[in-house]
Amino acid sequence: MQKGFPTISKEEQTRITTVVVRVAAMLLEYGAESRLIEQLSSRLGVALGCTSIEISLIPSAIVLTTLIGDSSVTTTRRAHEQPINMSIVHQIVTICIAAEKNPRDIMMVETKLANIHSNPYPAWLIVPMIGLSCAAFSHLQGADWAGFCITFLAASVGMMVRRALSSRNYSLLIVFAFTAFVCTMIASLSFYQGLSATGSIVLSSSVLLLVPGFPYINSMLDAFKGYISMGWGRWTQATLLTLMSSLGIMLAMGLLDIKGW
Amino acid sequence: MEWVTLLLDAMWAAIPAVGFGMIFNVPRSALPLCAVGGAFTYGFREVLMHHHLTIELSTFIAATAIGIIGVFWSRAYVMPRPVYTVPSIIPIIPGTYAYEMMISLVSMNTDGVTDALLSSFIENGLHAVSILFAIAFGLVLPSMYYTKRQKPII
């Protein structure tokens, strides 16, 4: 028993560690930036009664130590690849703030963590919306209305393909390459008998649904705030995704032998 | 008349911001603010470019502006900042430049290197890379300012 600290047994400390590392691993998997992961897990740990939390992050795993007085518990978790989900990150932020308002209430945190839901948008909403997004891109770049419609079609079908492949648990790299291939195949309809005068704009905006915006921005944010290895890891991931999409585009264009190639 | 075009373009730019917000699965309550952010970022950049600033500088200023606004929104609605800022910068991503760069690279491979292809490759590539960095720096700057404070934003 340490002086100055309320009695927390080793079992209780292990329980706290399990909860905190679960929160940290979820944040890492669903795409929070490193500083947020470190801040949230140490705030949660302190709220649950720890002296401090030490954490070490690499892109695929997490090592976390809770300190209570002199006794420390360390644990490691592997982070699995998940689609980015800001809704879950937001729910975890809310849980941490609730835990700070009622400190030492581990039961409440555990129940709330078990009730986290991923809140996905329904397919009938997201597929036309992504089609419309890419069509809006092509309109902003100056495509004509025939090009607008072709972009809408290509991006919607691409989003359906992406969802279908993701739900079958293919690697994200394969999903991106194949989606880019399908999008380019459909978008090259605009060259068929001069259907649209602005074919290259249609081709470039119909694959924009594959822009890895979150990995790029997260990698910059991490690198600038001192998490160099996380920044490099996420940068590599984003670059690989971009390369795989270009591979899909090149494959489709080579197959169709489009003018300008 | 120019203002009407600008407003219409800004409204078109709000659609991709919402669509990408859905891909990243942002909470439903954040979607309207993502739309406002996307429209604001695109419109602000258009205004700056209309006043003869280069596209890189205008992108940087617009991204910094949405980064600062994101801090206030995130404090008001208890939400991590990227929820608002990343969908908002999607409309200004240099997709066409990157695409043109790739096209000229592949044509150089198949048809041989010519001066026109080489200069198109370098020009488009420089534009794409510098705009990407302008976006990233613009978003990072506001949060760099706030990290020197000990108290977290949310």
Side-chain angles (χ1 to χ4, degrees):
Chain A
M1 220 170 294
Q2 294 83 27
K3 59 176 171 3
F5 286 101
T7 47
I8 292 181
S9 66
K10 203 79 178 178
E11 286 77 36
E12 278 174 290
Q13 191 180 357
T14 313
R15 194 171 158 199
I16 293 174
T17 313
T18 317
V19 168
V20 176
V21 83
R22 176 135 177 260
V23 163
M26 279 173 95
L27 285 172
L28 183 61
E29 282 172 354
Y30 291 109
E33 59 166 315
S34 304
R35 193 179 180 80
L36 190 71
I37 301 176
E38 188 164 353
Q39 269 178 356
L40 279 186
S41 34
S42 62
R43 277 164 70 182
L44 182 65
V46 170
L48 291 179
C50 301
T51 318
S52 74
I53 302 276
E54 303 296 329
I55 189 166
S56 148
L57 283 170
I58 60 167
S60 60
I62 208 158
V63 180
L64 187 140
T65 302
T66 53
L67 287 160
I68 297 178
D70 293 333
S71 85
S72 71
V73 173
T74 302
T75 182
T76 309
R77 288 290 181 281
R78 177 88 165 79
H80 300 281
E81 203 177 350
Q82 298 278 0
I84 283 161
N85 193 328
M86 282 297 125
S87 182
I88 291 182
V89 174
H90 169 60
Q91 289 169 54
I92 294 178
V93 172
T94 323
I95 291 173
C96 285
I97 290 172
E100 277 184 334
K101 286 195 181 124
N102 329 300
R104 309 285 307 271
D105 190 355
I106 192 164
M107 280 296 283
M108 185 264 295
V109 176
E110 278 174 348
T111 359
K112 282 195 171 177
L113 270 184
N115 286 332
I116 281 186
H117 38 280
S118 65
N119 264 335
Y121 287 96
W124 59 263
L125 182 63
I126 196 166
V127 168
M129 200 57 207
I130 293 304
L132 202 58
S133 302
C134 292
F137 269 124
S138 74
H139 180 73
L140 287 176
Q141 307 283 349
D144 50 13
W145 290 107
F148 183 88
C149 298
I150 295 172
T151 315
F152 179 80
L153 181 72
S156 311
V157 175
M159 193 62 206
M160 281 197 263
V161 169
R162 181 176 166 174
R163 284 178 64 95
L165 288 181
S166 300
S167 66
R168 283 172 179 72
N169 287 326
Y170 282 100
S171 149
L172 210 54
L173 296 171
I174 308 281
V175 174
F176 269 52
F178 195 74
T179 311
F181 179 79
V182 171
C183 283
T184 312
M185 285 298 246
I186 299 176
S188 54
L189 268 179
S190 57
F191 287 107
Y192 180 71
Q193 291 185 344
L195 210 57
S196 157
T198 48
S200 65
I201 295 177
V202 173
L203 279 179
S204 66
S205 33
S206 60
V207 289
L208 277 177
L209 76 147
L210 297 171
V211 170
F214 249 97
Y216 267 124
I217 300 297
N218 270 341
S219 78
M220 289 306 261
L221 289 171
D222 286 354
F224 271 79
K225 291 175 185 175
Y227 304 87
I228 300 291
S229 67
M230 284 296 286
W232 270 116
R234 285 176 166 168
W235 179 265
T236 313
Q237 190 201 6
T239 312
L240 267 182
L241 289 177
T242 317
L243 279 179
M244 287 306 274
S245 325
S246 351
L247 198 76
I249 299 173
M250 284 181 190
L251 212 68
M253 297 196 109
L255 211 65
L256 290 173
D257 201 18
I258 285 172
K259 284 194 303 278
W261 279 71
Chain B
M1 198 57 211
E2 266 177 13
W3 282 101
V4 178
T5 336
L6 180 73
L7 277 180
L8 273 181
D9 277 0
M11 262 155 54
W12 279 109
I15 299 174
V18 174
F20 276 77
M22 284 180 176
I23 289 191
F24 304 141
N25 211 340
V26 306
R28 280 156 182 73
S29 58
L31 279 182
L33 283 181
C34 290
V36 174
F40 168 79
T41 316
Y42 189 84
F44 192 39
R45 187 178 78 154
E46 287 295 295
V47 170
L48 290 174
M49 276 164 69
H50 188 69
H51 288 86
H52 305 293
L53 268 70
T54 57
I55 186 167
E56 290 85 1
L57 191 59
S58 337
T59 308
F60 175 70
I61 297 174
T64 316
I66 191 66
I68 294 171
I69 294 174
V71 172
F72 291 108
W73 283 350
S74 115
R75 218 180 268 156
Y77 300 99
V78 194
M79 200 78 82
R81 254 161 305 134
V83 168
Y84 300 119
T85 50
V86 176
S88 301
I89 53 95
I90 289 287
I92 56 175
I93 284 228
T96 336
Y97 286 120
Y99 175 80
E100 292 289 334
M101 177 183 83
M102 214 177 72
I103 291 266
S104 39
L105 187 69
V106 176
S107 341
M108 273 196 282
N109 188 25
T110 49
D111 306 339
V113 181
T114 60
D115 279 351
L117 281 180
L118 196 61
S119 70
S120 141
F121 171 70
I122 295 177
E123 255 173 45
N124 286 309
L126 277 180
H127 269 304
V129 171
S130 50
I131 292 175
L132 266 186
F133 270 93
I135 294 175
F137 278 123
L139 284 194
V140 169
L141 269 187
S143 49
M144 290 292 285
Y145 174 75
Y146 283 98
T147 46
K148 67 178 189 180
R149 310 187 323 166
Q150 284 305 304
K151 202 169 172 297
I153 292 177
I154 49 168

